[in-house]
Amino acid sequence: MKNYDVAIVGAGPVGSTFARYAAEKGLKVAIFEKKKEIGVPLQCAGLLGNKIKDVNVLPDEVILNEIYGACLHSPSSTMISMRKKEEPLAYVLDRVAYDKYLAQLAVDKGVELFLNHRAEKIDIETGEIYFKDKKISAEIIVGADGHASIVSETFNNASKYVHASQYLIDAGENAFKEDYFQVYVNSKISPGFLWVIPISEYTARVGLFGDFDYNDLSEILNDFLKNNETLRNAKILKKYHGKIPIYDPKKDIVKNRAILIGDAASQVKPTTSGGLIIGFNCAKIASEVVYEAISSQNIDILKKYQKRYKKMYNTELKMQLKVQDTYKSLDDENLDSVILKLKEKEVGKIVSEYGDLDSQSPLMIKLIKNGVIFSVLPKLLSRKIFGL
Ligand SMILES: Cc1cc2nc3c(=O)[nH]c(=O)nc-3n(C[C@H](O)[C@H](O)[C@H](O)COP(=O)(O)OP(=O)(O)OC[C@H]3O[C@@H](n4cnc5c(N)ncnc54)[C@H](O)[C@@H]3O)c2cc1C
């Protein structure tokens, strides 16, 4: 007899959300988290598209700011802006509080949460997890243990990732347009980008991700602040860094008695590297498939999870990979020219209507159909990437 129906490794937001869904279905669930305290240190910009409210609970207490608009800045400072009128485009969250909240909700539903429990070895055939001084067993093991997942490593190559660096800054009164976030692109950091996400009119999270180590990222961030008139004298209140997995379409996310969700499954958007909304959606699908596998005592059913994930996300993620390839192949001069042309074509208006932080394919399809992509990208490139 196994100790649990489901044992989850990692009490991040995605693992806790999966745990809650599984417990709500009547399964016996445990989560094992290596840290003593959930959610710390912060490793997130905490920007979530407004779809979050459709895919998970979001209490008002964890919302620090509502964002209605976004500005995109080219290397030589051409700017395109867009704004949603009716509803926020995105929310800025207190991620630490949100992670704790999601874990508590799972516990309230009957999930057993074990802090300070680092999984050291996993047996995906028997369903056993080994800790420093004990071993437990479960019908199904869920790897929700982030970019360096030990569960994933039992049946995948080590995951690839990029580094991210972020500062919390205070730039004084009226430094930020409180309801807009800013994105800065350039070929040095592409396919990464730099963000400024305001928490209030004077504080913001400023960060970037890219294929550099932390020192180089911090240097780029320091230069950005130094060269920005408003932010030059900003006080750096805190520094954070973290790792973001690179989306891998070939990754196996089901094997024997194990499945992967969230960052452990590289479920991040190629364009923005956001992982929460996609992770929450996958946690839901995974919980339904796990429930079916356990109730019918047939672990082969777990394979449905990979199929349902692909069905839900294939088109969107493929499109995002194309957008990422396009961005990667443009030098600064091309980026300036593309952004200037987009501005001349008043693309901000189309983005305001069709833009969505989480599913970018409706916007791209619109831009392809009305010929905008073809007219702003160098011809050879649009042919190579979009077949136009
Ligand atoms: C700087 C930065 C900014 C970001 N900004 C955004 C953003 O604005 N919007 C967005 O949507 N996403 C953002 N992301 C990505 C987002 O943070 C992740 O996609 C999200 O945290 C994934 O959640 P998760 O539960 O899958 O994994 P994680 O949050 O990584 O949680 C994994 C958990 O597993 C635990 N664990 C790991 N190994 C073990 C083990 N062996 N045993 C037990 N426990 C273990 C860890 O301690 C951790 O608690 C950002 C990431 C970074 C680094």
Side-chain angles (χ1 to χ4, degrees), residues 72 78-81 335-350 367 372 375-377:
L72 173 68
T78 301
M79 184 189 86
I80 305 181
S81 67
L335 275 170
D336 275 324
S337 142
V338 167
I339 291 174
L340 185 62
K341 284 184 194 160
L342 287 171
K343 186 177 175 141
E344 283 163 6
K345 290 185 179 296
E346 300 191 325
V347 160
K349 282 188 194 153
I350 306 177
L367 295 177
V372 171
S375 62
V376 300
L377 282 181

Side-chain angles (χ1 to χ4, degrees), residues 10 13-14 33-35 43-47 95 119 144-145 263 275-276:
V14 179
E33 166 56 52
K34 70 178 179 187
K35 291 184 204 157
Q43 291 179 328
C44 187
L47 187 75
R95 251 300 293 272
D145 46 343
D263 275 14
L276 286 172

Side-chain angles (χ1 to χ4, degrees), residues 253-256 258-259 289 293 298-309:
I253 58 169
V254 178
K255 181 90 179 185
N256 295 356
I259 66 164
V289 175
N298 179 2
I299 58 162
D300 278 349
I301 284 179
L302 291 179
K303 289 183 189 130
K304 279 192 188 172
Y305 164 50
Q306 186 131 10
K307 282 194 197 130
R308 284 184 61 186
Y309 163 51

Side-chain angles (χ1 to χ4, degrees), residues 77-145:
S77 304
T78 301
M79 184 189 86
I80 305 181
S81 67
M82 57 82 61
R83 186 180 170 87
K84 291 265 180 211
K85 287 196 186 92
E86 315 284 309
E87 46 168 6
L89 163 74
Y91 301 97
V92 186
L93 301 194
D94 177 343
R95 251 300 293 272
V96 175
Y98 193 40
D99 286 17
K100 288 187 199 297
Y101 174 83
L102 292 174
Q104 187 56 48
L105 274 193
V107 170
D108 293 344
K109 294 285 172 188
V111 172
E112 292 178 44
L113 170 64
F114 297 88
L115 296 176
N116 211 5
H117 273 65
R118 176 193 289 272
E120 291 183 345
K121 202 178 119 198
I122 312 284
D123 188 328
I124 59 171
E125 280 170 21
T126 59
E128 283 163 333
I129 305 180
Y130 295 79
F131 302 91
K132 197 172 166 198
D133 44 20
K134 74 173 180 198
K135 173 182 93 170
I136 64 99
S137 63
E139 294 296 339
I140 291 166
I141 295 173
V142 176
D145 46 343

Side-chain angles (χ1 to χ4, degrees), residues 21 31 35 53 70 109 134 151 170 182 200 224 239 252 261 274 287 294 313 317 320 335-336 352 358 362 376:
Y21 292 143
I31 316 186
K35 291 184 204 157
K53 293 207 166 172
K109 294 285 172 188
K134 74 173 180 198
V151 184
D170 181 339
Q182 316 285 329
S200 67
F224 169 75
K239 292 186 179 185
D252 282 326
I261 54 176
S287 70
I294 288 178
Y313 273 107
L317 294 176
Q320 290 200 16
L335 275 170
D336 275 324
S352 302
D358 292 286
V376 300

Side-chain angles (χ1 to χ4, degrees), residues 2 17 25 30 42 58 183 193 218 269 366-367 388:
K2 306 257 197 266
T17 298
K25 293 180 199 308
L42 172 72
L58 181 67
V183 171
F193 57 84
S218 304
K269 290 172 286 171
K366 181 80 192 160
L367 295 177
L388 296 168

Side-chain angles (χ1 to χ4, degrees), residues 326-386:
T326 310
Y327 174 31
K328 244 189 327 196
S329 58
L330 297 174
D331 60 19
D332 278 355
E333 206 180 308
N334 281 325
L335 275 170
D336 275 324
S337 142
V338 167
I339 291 174
L340 185 62
K341 284 184 194 160
L342 287 171
K343 186 177 175 141
E344 283 163 6
K345 290 185 179 296
E346 300 191 325
V347 160
K349 282 188 194 153
I350 306 177
V351 181
S352 302
E353 193 178 340
Y354 292 90
D356 179 331
L357 279 185
D358 292 286
S359 37
Q360 291 144 22
S361 48
L363 173 65
M364 290 313 296
I365 289 165
K366 181 80 192 160
L367 295 177
I368 288 171
K369 276 195 176 151
N370 65 13
V372 171
I373 291 287
F374 186 63
S375 62
V376 300
L377 282 181
K379 251 185 203 148
L380 267 177
L381 186 67
S382 52
R383 208 165 286 153
K384 190 174 136 213
I385 296 186
F386 293 98

